[in-house]
Amino acid sequence: MARQARGEYLDPKQVQVVHGIQRCVRQAYLCDEDDQTSGRFWQGRFKAVPLLDEVSLLACAAYVDLNPVRAALAELPELSDYTGAKDRIDDLHERARPRGSKKRGLIASAL
């Protein structure tokens, strides 16, 4: 059984998790070798860009909101889950609904 530094034994499930992490790290190194690159596995893929004005902030928000559409996960921004665009569109629909009217479910609105 594997041992921790303080002399405690690892649970078999913990050993599986450690082996899984080691496999992922090894895979990252192998991908770097295949691509003939060095450095961290994700180096060059992600970068930080300062959003110094409102135009760049809106451009970044549009990029993030349209990403599910570009990835073909949704046909329209308002149909994509977990995006700010859907939240804003739903909020506009909620505000446009007359007060006192109840929100109908999908089955009720289809009838």
Side-chain angles (χ1 to χ4, degrees):
M1 218 182 243
R3 294 183 61 128
Q4 290 181 338
R6 294 190 176 139
E8 300 171 4
Y9 291 103
L10 288 174
D11 185 305
K13 290 181 182 178
Q14 291 174 323
V15 173
Q16 289 176 349
V17 170
V18 170
H19 287 302
I21 292 170
Q22 288 175 339
R23 279 195 305 271
C24 290
V25 170
R26 179 70 181 143
Q27 185 65 35
Y29 284 118
L30 292 175
C31 288
D32 280 344
E33 288 177 8
D34 289 345
D35 295 339
Q36 296 178 348
T37 59
S38 62
R40 294 195 169 113
F41 180 63
W42 299 109
Q43 183 176 346
R45 180 166 177 156
F46 301 107
K47 59 183 177 180
V49 178
L51 303 175
L52 301 175
D53 57 4
E54 290 181 13
V55 173
S56 60
L57 179 64
L58 288 174
C60 180
Y63 175 83
V64 170
D65 286 340
L66 292 175
N67 209 16
V69 176
R70 262 193 304 278
L73 299 174
E75 292 183 23
L76 299 168
E78 55 267 23
L79 299 177
S80 62
D81 294 327
Y82 314 113
T83 61
K86 181 179 183 345
D87 291 340
R88 290 188 295 276
I89 292 168
D90 289 347
D91 187 48
L92 287 173
H93 285 260
E94 188 72 29
R95 289 182 187 186
R97 188 176 316 131
R99 291 182 184 227
S101 66
K102 294 184 178 180
K103 185 176 182 180
R104 298 189 325 180
L106 291 176
I107 295 174
S109 63
L111 298 177

